[in-house]
Every structure is written in structure tokens, then in C-alpha cells.
Amino acid sequence: MSCIIERLAIVGVGLIGGSFARALRQAGAVRHVVGIGRSRANLEHALSQGIVDEISFNATEGVAGAQLVFISIPVCSISAMVGAIAPSLAPGCIVTDGGSVKAEIVRECEKLIPEGCHFVGGHPIAGTENSGASASFATLYQGKRCILTPTERTDREAYETVARLWRVAGANVCSMDPERHDRILAEISHLPHAVAYALVHAVGTADAEGENVLSYSAGGFRDFTRIASSDPVMWRDIALMNRRALLASIDGFSASLAELRRRIDSGDSPGLAEFFTIAKQFRDGIL
Amino acid sequence: MSCIIERLAIVGVGLIGGSFARALRQAGAVRHVVGIGRSRANLEHALSQGIVDEISFNATEGVAGAQLVFISIPVCSISAMVGAIAPSLAPGCIVTDGGSVKAEIVRECEKLIPEGCHFVGGHPIAGTENSGASASFATLYQGKRCILTPTERTDREAYETVARLWRVAGANVCSMDPERHDRILAEISHLPHAVAYALVHAVGTADAEGENVLSYSAGGFRDFTRIASSDPVMWRDIALMNRRALLASIDGFSASLAELRRRIDSGDSPGLAEFFTIAKQFRDGIL
């Protein structure tokens, strides 16, 4: 394919950023990739593996001359990064991100992006347990969904360029407003994480109080609570940045659990069978 | 090995009962196995596969002459089954079960078991997604835990025979009182199922209200909610039979979730990091 981007800057060359670079390079969609970060070991690994052509520990220098900057760093740092690199962006530069929360990031970044440059919010729904450039691979996004969150301020051409890159990387691109993205992600991702953390917290606390419960846990419990092994700092940031939608999701879940509790407490046998059957139907519907 | 049981009756030749029979046969620990059930197709499959030597659709006839009866049917039916077969049990016969709730079953069955026969409550913590004799295999219990729940009324020799059979089947046998079993299982199994069902119920309801949320769910959500695809009737019965312990576990979990919600709502960044870190430590501790 013909080259889409001459000079791509990746801020944060981890699983997400590294895989984006690998996929675009492999497709011939980028000419030169600058990897920007703080960890020398990680960046040198990325360089040695050919994920990037050049590394920089200074974002304002690293983004100079890039047509596209992809920011894949913790959600709490994204808008501050856009503010920091804003003065160094080349005219016409497109800045996009991979953060899993969108409303606050898009709102802030649209304010910070300089006249003549463009911000497009994005979130590839892909990932593994692992992190760092060494965990990245070119096919991470293959067949996965990437949600872009344009607003009325988003430049149409910039949006199309970002969408095209994600398609080249193998993703199915869809578009929605940032608030809807955050409501959906609260339900399908942030709520399950909150619930898993709370569950392990509760069972672990009972355990610590002397029941020695966890040693009896079998595969089912381990599978169910796997996501509670995720990075606490990342999830703290996501919970805070998507606070409003997440609280609404927690409240919806708590209402469901209270209803289930009521049916158990009152010995409502048909009501319980109905509750479990409806849930099973929802679950089986997404298989 | 030398034969332990001349004549074994399995009431309910599904995954649990069929695998128990297979494991004991393979070890040479049983001479003759009678499979008892209601589904002709299932029993004939068990017979054709050599899981059992003989089949019966009539439990009172099928258990006649057996030294040991293993009952592996839904938890709500176990004590009724013991009541039904009680008059037909041979003197000295040991009856044991595989139900995942114990206190109520043990209490009822100890009342129903005739003088000169013995009841030993048991629960192998093993299983797969599949059910029926065709899903059974000899190594299901290999390295898995089997909890036996003797009481002061339990015959010591009968307990030892049941424990020996489970060890022959490959399980690690441990023993505790039925109430403690139910508290532990409520925490590590029944609570996670209730939470998964409530989560899918809540997200599915939001979905039905027009957000079209579930179509965005990725692998994480699918893995996390897998157990909500379990059999609704089985889980209705477990929830009702372990009602008291499960309600206590739900309340402990709800308190954890409320604490997490409070920290999110108040923007308590260090408190959130602490909550997630403690949960992650509990979770990583069971890997």
C-alpha cells in the first residue's frame, strides 16, 4: 500500500502504541516512526526490534515534524501531554489517542490543540494481560473494534485519516460521541472491573478474618476474578476519569443485585429461575 | 488395586456421577456399577461406553444390594431421593452425595437414612461446562479437592471408605462441618455466580433500553460473565438451599462495593489505589 503518514510519533511505546506502530509499518502505511517515552530500556527494546526508527525522551522534540501523533499513555496524563506538545506540533498535525475514557480527554484536548492542528479521540478495544513494547504485536487490532469519538469540532479529513490508519491496522472502526462511548465502556468494561475488585476485596477480607476461604477457590473463581489482577493505578485513573458513567453503572448493577437478593431472601423460586434465565439469555446472545 | 466396593449404585449418571464411576472402574476399585436415572438415552450411552454395567430407571430397585450409593443429582432432589431409596438399602450400605450445598442436605439425609446404613455428605469441587454421561471422564477429579462433611453422627468407617474412594478417584480429600462448607462455597462459588448473573442482568437491561451495549463487549466481558451461562435451574436450587450463607456473602460484597463506590464518588485517589491494590494482592495470592 502507499504510505499514508511520512512521520509518525508514538507517545508511549507499550502494548497499545507498539502494536499500532508494528501494524502500520507492516502494512507500509508509515515511513518513519519516532518512539517517545521515559523508560530507556523499553524504548531501546522498541528500537532494537524495529518497532520504531528513532527514540526520544523529550516529547516536545520527538513530535516535531510528525504528521500524526498517537498518544498511548495512562488516561490521566493524555491531556497534559497534548498541552505539553502543543507548541511543537507541525502545522496540520493530527493528534489522536488510545485512552479508554473519552469525554474528559476529548473536551480538554480540543481546548489545547493549536489552531491548524487536529485532535481526534480514539479507543481501540483490544489488549492483553501484558504491557510494554515487548508485549506488542502487529496483529493485536485484527478484527477488534476501534471506537473513534469525533465531535462537531472534529476536522473531517483528520478523522478520515485516523479511521483509515485503524482500518489498515486491522480494526473495525466505528464512531460515536464521547459521552456515549463512556457510558458503554462503563457498562462492559469499567463496571466488571469494579465488581471483580470489590468481589475479591470482600472474599479476601472474609479470608483474612479466619475462614481461609481463598485456598478452596477453584478454576471458576480464578477465571472470574482474573481482571482484578489488572494494574491498580490504571484502574484508579479510569474510575476517576469516568466517574459519572461508572457510578451510574454501579447503581444499575446494585439495583439488579438487590432484586436478586430479594428473590433469594423471600425464597421466590420462579422469580429466581426467571432472573437467571434472562441473564443467561443476555449472556448467550453475545457468544 | 484390590476391589473396595463390590456393587456401586450411581444415582444420576452425568458429568459428576459418570466421572466418579469411570475413575473407580479404571482403578479397579469397584466390581459392578449400576447406573440409575430417568433419561434412557443418557443411561444407554453410559452402558455402551462401559461407564456402568447395568442400568435402571427405578432407584429403589437399582440400589438393592449395593454397598455404596453415590447420589449426583440436583441439590434440591437429593434428600427426597435418600428418603425414597431408604427402605431398599442393604444393611450396612453407605450413601454419599456430590451436592454443592451441604448443611440442609446432611441434616435431612441423616434423619432419613435407616438404622444400620450410613450417610456421608460430600462435594467434589470439580466440573466443566458440559453435562451428561457423555461429558464424563476418568480424570475429572485428578488433583481436585473433595470436601467431605462428617458430623458427630457420621460413622467413622463409612467416612473412611468414602474418603478412600475419592482418593482413588484422584481427589485431595478434606473434611469440615457442613455449615463451614456452605459458608466457604457461598464466598468462592455461589457469590461469584450471583454477581455474574446480576451484572449480565443489569448490562443486558441497559442494552434492551436502547444503548446497544452488549454488541461492544470484548473478550474481557465474555470471560468475566461466562459463569452467567450456567444452568439457571441448578443455580436457582443452590441459591435457595444455601440461602443464609449466600445472603451473608452478598451483603459482604455489597459493603465492599459501596466502599468502592464511595471512594470513586468522592474522588479519593489514594483510597482507590489502595482498594485496587489490596484486591490485586488477594487475587495474585491464589494464582
Side-chain angles (χ1 to χ4, degrees):
Chain A
M1 81 150 35
S2 63
C3 176
I4 303 170
I5 299 292
E6 282 291 326
R7 190 177 176 90
L8 168 71
I10 304 277
V11 184
V13 190
L15 172 66
I16 298 298
S19 296
F20 189 62
R22 281 185 193 267
L24 295 180
R25 293 185 79 95
Q26 194 165 295
V30 292
R31 188 96 60 203
H32 188 87
V33 181
V34 189
I36 299 162
R38 289 183 304 192
S39 158
R40 177 172 297 275
N42 186 62
L43 285 185
E44 284 179 351
H45 177 84
L47 190 60
S48 73
Q49 296 298 304
I51 303 170
V52 299
D53 303 292
E54 181 187 335
I55 62 178
S56 169
F57 300 98
N58 183 322
T60 55
E61 286 172 21
V63 301
Q67 280 94 56
L68 192 127
V69 177
F70 179 60
I71 304 182
S72 42
I73 62 178
V75 288
C76 277
S77 309
I78 292 174
S79 59
M81 177 58 71
V82 170
I85 60 174
S88 315
L89 297 173
C93 178
I94 300 167
V95 178
T96 186
D97 76 316
S100 50
V101 177
K102 292 269 69 80
E104 185 178 327
I105 288 174
V106 171
R107 195 165 52 238
E108 293 299 315
C109 293
E110 286 188 342
K111 283 186 215 151
L112 294 162
I113 198 84
E115 186 69 30
C117 294
H118 312 289
F119 181 78
V120 180
H123 177 207
I125 304 186
T128 72
E129 315 288 280
N130 308 311
S131 58
S134 59
S136 68
F137 53 101
T139 56
L140 174 62
Y141 302 114
Q142 212 68 48
K144 299 288 160 50
R145 214 186 266 266
C146 180
I147 302 177
L148 298 183
T149 57
T151 69
E152 55 193 11
R153 296 181 58 176
T154 305
D155 181 78
R156 194 70 217 165
E157 215 174 305
Y159 171 84
E160 289 300 343
T161 301
V162 174
R164 193 170 160 212
L165 289 173
W166 279 113
R167 279 189 211 103
V168 166
N172 300 318
V173 175
C174 69
S175 154
M176 63 180 69
D177 66 70
E179 290 73 23
R180 174 145 190 257
H181 168 277
D182 286 0
R183 287 197 305 275
I184 289 178
L185 268 288
E187 292 280 319
I188 60 162
S189 170
H190 310 168
L191 173 64
H193 276 83
V195 164
Y197 277 118
L199 182 84
V200 175
H201 201 277
V203 175
T205 304
D207 196 63
E209 282 164 3
E211 277 284 29
N212 194 22
V213 169
L214 288 174
S215 68
Y216 293 94
S217 62
F221 187 82
R222 274 200 291 275
D223 292 349
F224 186 66
T225 58
R226 183 179 55 84
I227 58 180
S229 277
S230 307
D231 179 18
V233 170
M234 186 175 99
W235 282 97
R236 174 200 67 191
D237 293 353
I238 291 172
L240 290 175
M241 286 200 80
N242 200 20
R243 189 191 315 192
R244 195 185 309 179
L246 178 53
L247 290 176
S249 292
I250 289 176
D251 292 343
F253 165 75
S254 294
S256 270
L257 185 64
E259 177 58 28
L260 175 57
R261 190 197 187 287
R262 200 191 57 70
R263 294 184 191 192
I264 295 170
D265 195 25
S266 65
D268 178 1
S269 178
L272 277 174
E274 182 205 30
F275 190 98
F276 292 151
T277 301
I278 289 172
K280 179 174 163 61
Q281 282 163 355
F282 285 139
R283 175 60 180 69
D284 291 346
I286 58 166
L287 278 178
Chain B
M1 83 146 36
S2 64
C3 175
I4 302 170
I5 298 292
E6 282 291 326
R7 190 178 176 88
L8 168 69
I10 304 278
V11 184
V13 190
L15 172 66
I16 297 299
S19 296
F20 189 62
R22 282 185 192 266
L24 295 180
R25 293 184 79 95
Q26 193 166 294
V30 292
R31 189 95 59 201
H32 187 87
V33 181
V34 187
I36 299 163
R38 288 183 305 190
S39 158
R40 177 173 296 276
N42 186 62
L43 285 185
E44 284 179 352
H45 178 84
L47 190 61
S48 74
Q49 296 298 303
I51 303 170
V52 299
D53 304 291
E54 181 187 333
I55 62 177
S56 169
F57 299 98
N58 183 321
T60 56
E61 287 171 20
V63 301
Q67 280 95 57
L68 193 126
V69 178
F70 179 59
I71 304 181
S72 42
I73 61 178
V75 287
C76 276
S77 310
I78 292 175
S79 58
M81 177 58 71
V82 171
I85 61 174
S88 315
L89 296 172
C93 178
I94 300 166
V95 178
T96 186
D97 77 316
S100 50
V101 178
K102 293 267 69 79
E104 185 178 328
I105 288 172
V106 171
R107 195 165 51 238
E108 293 299 315
C109 292
E110 285 188 343
K111 280 186 218 154
L112 294 163
I113 198 86
E115 186 68 31
C117 294
H118 313 288
F119 182 79
V120 180
H123 177 206
I125 305 185
T128 71
E129 317 288 280
N130 308 311
S131 59
S134 59
S136 68
F137 53 101
T139 56
L140 174 63
Y141 302 114
Q142 211 68 49
K144 299 289 162 47
R145 212 186 267 267
C146 180
I147 302 177
L148 298 183
T149 56
T151 69
E152 55 193 14
R153 295 181 59 176
T154 306
D155 181 78
R156 194 71 218 165
E157 213 173 307
Y159 171 84
E160 288 301 342
T161 301
V162 173
R164 192 169 161 213
L165 289 173
W166 279 113
R167 280 189 211 103
V168 166
N172 300 318
V173 175
C174 70
S175 153
M176 64 180 68
D177 66 72
E179 290 72 23
R180 175 146 189 256
H181 167 277
D182 286 0
R183 286 196 305 274
I184 289 177
L185 267 288
E187 291 280 319
I188 61 162
S189 171
H190 309 167
L191 173 64
H193 277 83
V195 164
Y197 277 118
L199 181 84
V200 174
H201 201 277
V203 175
T205 303
D207 195 63
E209 282 163 2
E211 278 284 29
N212 194 20
V213 169
L214 287 173
S215 68
Y216 294 93
S217 62
F221 186 82
R222 274 199 291 275
D223 292 350
F224 185 65
T225 58
R226 183 178 54 83
I227 57 179
S229 278
S230 306
D231 179 18
V233 170
M234 185 175 99
W235 282 97
R236 175 199 66 189
D237 293 352
I238 291 172
L240 290 175
M241 287 199 79
N242 200 19
R243 188 191 315 193
R244 196 185 308 177
L246 178 54
L247 290 175
S249 292
I250 289 175
D251 292 343
F253 165 75
S254 294
S256 270
L257 184 64
E259 177 59 28
L260 175 57
R261 190 197 186 288
R262 201 190 57 69
R263 294 183 191 193
I264 295 169
D265 195 24
S266 66
D268 178 3
S269 179
L272 277 174
E274 183 204 31
F275 189 98
F276 292 151
T277 301
I278 289 172
K280 180 174 162 60
Q281 282 164 354
F282 285 138
R283 176 58 181 68
D284 291 347
I286 59 166
L287 278 178

